[in-house]
Amino acid sequence: MARTHKAWAVRTARDRTEAPARARLLDAAEAVFTRLGYGPATVADITAEAEVSRAGFYVYFASKEEVFRVLAARVRDAFLAAQEVPGVDTDDVRAVAEASVGAFVAAYARHLPLLGLLEQQARTDPDVAELWREIRERPVHRHARYIRRLAAEGRARPLAEPLTLARAVGGMCVEFARRTAERPGIHQDAVRDVTALYLHLLGAGPARRE
């Protein structure tokens, strides 16, 4: 879970100056899609939710289909960003593990309702299918590269092949994210437990406890 990712999008000058309106539209679109479903949702529903005019919507997005794909990309990048640990000593394996696990669990829980729609649309939309593949695979492969680097530096002794380990940890994070989405109060305990299991599999020692 390395800190190597950079911002995913290169925004235009208009995007930079009007980013709040675009972000509001994206948040509104996610809320509308998860509430109504992909098929019934309309541009009018999104603009009403965002309190933005239809003309304002078309400044940023050409269609409902496009805003949905941008949302898919935003979810992908939220998961990649969870692997970054600003303010954490990247030489501290335990601190990096705890911070990145916590960020990933929170991001997955936040976007959980949308993820089901993305999986459904991926069956019929090739562009969404590619984004869905990236959502599932890019964080895992990046995590595997991080594990390999730790092993090469002698800072970890993984108990499984790095890609297998990365998939296992990702699966644990997803399971606990689903649980925390239902019961937000268990988030801290979930992060503690997943981190402890991760560090054991990584061969980096037990997680720190308060």
Side-chain angles (χ1 to χ4, degrees), residues 83-165:
Q83 296 177 317
E84 302 184 24
V85 285
V88 175
D89 180 1
T90 55
D91 291 328
D92 186 337
V93 175
R94 293 168 178 79
V96 170
E98 185 175 17
S100 53
V101 165
F104 185 89
V105 169
Y108 200 100
R110 175 191 171 192
H111 295 293
L112 183 59
L114 182 64
L115 287 164
L117 291 178
L118 289 172
E119 184 175 13
Q120 291 175 11
Q121 286 304 115
R123 297 169 188 160
T124 56
D125 185 325
D127 292 331
V128 176
E130 175 59 21
L131 286 163
W132 179 242
R133 185 194 66 78
E134 292 184 1
I135 286 169
R136 290 180 294 123
E137 295 296 322
R138 282 186 60 183
V140 171
H141 283 274
R142 177 194 273 186
H143 185 193
R145 290 195 297 272
Y146 173 64
I147 294 169
R148 290 188 189 101
R149 189 171 75 249
L150 289 180
E153 294 171 354
R155 295 196 287 151
R157 299 179 65 185
L159 300 185
E161 189 276 328
L163 185 57
T164 299
L165 197 158

Side-chain angles (χ1 to χ4, degrees), residues 57 90 95 107 118 175 194:
F57 175 92
T90 55
L118 289 172
E175 174 60 25
V194 173

Side-chain angles (χ1 to χ4, degrees), residues 2-188:
R3 186 175 60 178
T4 59
H5 184 56
K6 62 182 179 180
W8 70 273
V10 178
R11 300 187 178 92
T12 65
R14 188 177 185 88
D15 284 333
R16 287 194 297 270
T17 57
E18 299 191 58
R22 185 177 185 273
R24 191 161 67 251
L25 281 163
L26 284 170
D27 289 341
E30 183 163 0
V32 167
F33 284 130
T34 57
R35 184 171 68 245
L36 302 180
Y38 180 80
T42 65
V43 170
D45 293 322
I46 294 168
T47 56
E49 181 81 15
E51 299 183 342
V52 172
S53 69
R54 286 178 68 90
F57 175 92
Y58 289 113
V59 167
Y60 300 103
F61 310 106
S63 63
K64 178 181 85 170
E65 292 76 16
E66 182 181 355
V67 75
F68 190 79
R69 291 169 192 148
V70 173
L71 278 175
R74 188 168 76 158
V75 170
R76 176 200 63 200
D77 298 323
F79 293 167
L80 290 170
Q83 296 177 317
E84 302 184 24
V85 285
V88 175
D89 180 1
T90 55
D91 291 328
D92 186 337
V93 175
R94 293 168 178 79
V96 170
E98 185 175 17
S100 53
V101 165
F104 185 89
V105 169
Y108 200 100
R110 175 191 171 192
H111 295 293
L112 183 59
L114 182 64
L115 287 164
L117 291 178
L118 289 172
E119 184 175 13
Q120 291 175 11
Q121 286 304 115
R123 297 169 188 160
T124 56
D125 185 325
D127 292 331
V128 176
E130 175 59 21
L131 286 163
W132 179 242
R133 185 194 66 78
E134 292 184 1
I135 286 169
R136 290 180 294 123
E137 295 296 322
R138 282 186 60 183
V140 171
H141 283 274
R142 177 194 273 186
H143 185 193
R145 290 195 297 272
Y146 173 64
I147 294 169
R148 290 188 189 101
R149 189 171 75 249
L150 289 180
E153 294 171 354
R155 295 196 287 151
R157 299 179 65 185
L159 300 185
E161 189 276 328
L163 185 57
T164 299
L165 197 158
R167 291 194 190 283
V169 173
M172 287 192 294
C173 287
V174 168
E175 174 60 25
F176 278 87
R178 293 180 185 277
R179 292 174 181 272
T180 60
E182 296 174 356
R183 299 170 55 200
I186 70 169
H187 175 80
Q188 186 174 352

